[in-house]
Amino acid sequence: MRTFLISAAVVGVITTAPAAGQPLNISASAAVMWLDLAPGGGDARLLNEPSSSLGSIYHPAVVVVWRGEPGWAFRERRSANEAFFSGANDFFRSAERTTSIRMEAGGVRLEIAHDSTTGEVLVNGVPVQLPDGHNVILVDDADAGGPPSDVQTLRVAGEDGEWIEAFLGRSEAVTEFVRCGAPLPEGTFEGDGRARRSIQRILDERCALLTGS
């Protein structure tokens, strides 16, 4: 398993995943991952995102936002000073037909796969039908266990190379879905207030990018 630890500095941006050393979450309740679907679409990526941003997005793309109870993605840690997400060593894979990304947050598997031939999208192995032009998938009750059952799709207009937060922030449905107003619970990180405040600060900055505030 590959583990990414929270750090004060951004190490760099990796295709379709957050800056190394940062959590997947955009708020205390919601985690975000995405696949750039154009071949080589992210190769010219500019490393000019705000340090707190999850990264840049290039189109066409498919974005999945997973929502659960506040703090769900931070339930499993290896020490009192670590918050992490992890995935298999081949967490990003691109074959002739299928591109996929797989991570884990709070003990919950998060996986997106896209078949370029059929256009089919799988979220945690479950097919999701995307109406023409739809590119964002909202998955509720992500921490409930089992395959996703409460799924919505929508279309958000985007620009190449923009921050993922700016992209998602164009949709009122997304900004409401991520629940930026809900903070991390006091008991997050086993009551380690310093760790909770540090991660909450990152999430507040991402929410500010999302809402333009």
Side-chain angles (χ1 to χ4, degrees), residues 57-61 63 133 135-136 154-171:
I57 184 170
Y58 286 75
H59 302 280
V63 183
N135 52 1
V136 176
L154 60 149
R155 180 185 182 277
V156 179
E159 301 175 3
D160 282 346
E162 66 183 336
W163 312 327
I164 186 68
E165 296 86 0
F167 166 72
L168 291 174
R170 291 198 183 94
S171 169

Side-chain angles (χ1 to χ4, degrees), residues 4-16:
F4 299 87
L5 305 182
I6 300 301
S7 65
V10 175
V11 178
V13 175
I14 53 179
T15 302
T16 70

Side-chain angles (χ1 to χ4, degrees), residues 72-156:
W72 67 273
F74 303 99
R75 288 176 182 164
E76 294 189 3
R77 297 182 303 140
R78 293 194 175 187
S79 78
N81 297 314
E82 295 176 357
F84 65 92
F85 61 88
S86 61
N89 287 333
D90 58 346
F91 68 92
F92 176 76
R93 307 181 71 180
S94 184
E96 182 177 347
R97 288 183 49 184
T98 305
T99 302
S100 64
I101 183 172
R102 181 180 62 192
M103 298 285 187
E104 184 176 300
V108 178
R109 185 186 73 165
L110 308 176
E111 183 175 12
I112 314 168
H114 175 263
D115 187 318
S116 62
T117 302
T118 64
E120 182 178 57
V121 175
L122 300 177
V123 177
N124 287 10
V126 176
V128 175
Q129 297 298 321
L130 285 178
D132 188 38
H134 283 214
N135 52 1
V136 176
I137 301 170
L138 307 179
V139 180
D140 207 358
D141 299 323
D143 53 340
S149 57
D150 189 351
V151 176
Q152 305 174 56
T153 71
L154 60 149
R155 180 185 182 277
V156 179

Side-chain angles (χ1 to χ4, degrees), residues 174-199:
V174 175
T175 57
E176 292 178 356
F177 184 79
V178 302
R179 294 175 180 163
C180 279
L184 289 170
E186 291 291 332
T188 308
F189 308 125
E190 300 173 357
D192 184 339
R194 182 177 180 181
R196 180 179 59 80
R197 289 190 297 272
S198 177
I199 300 305

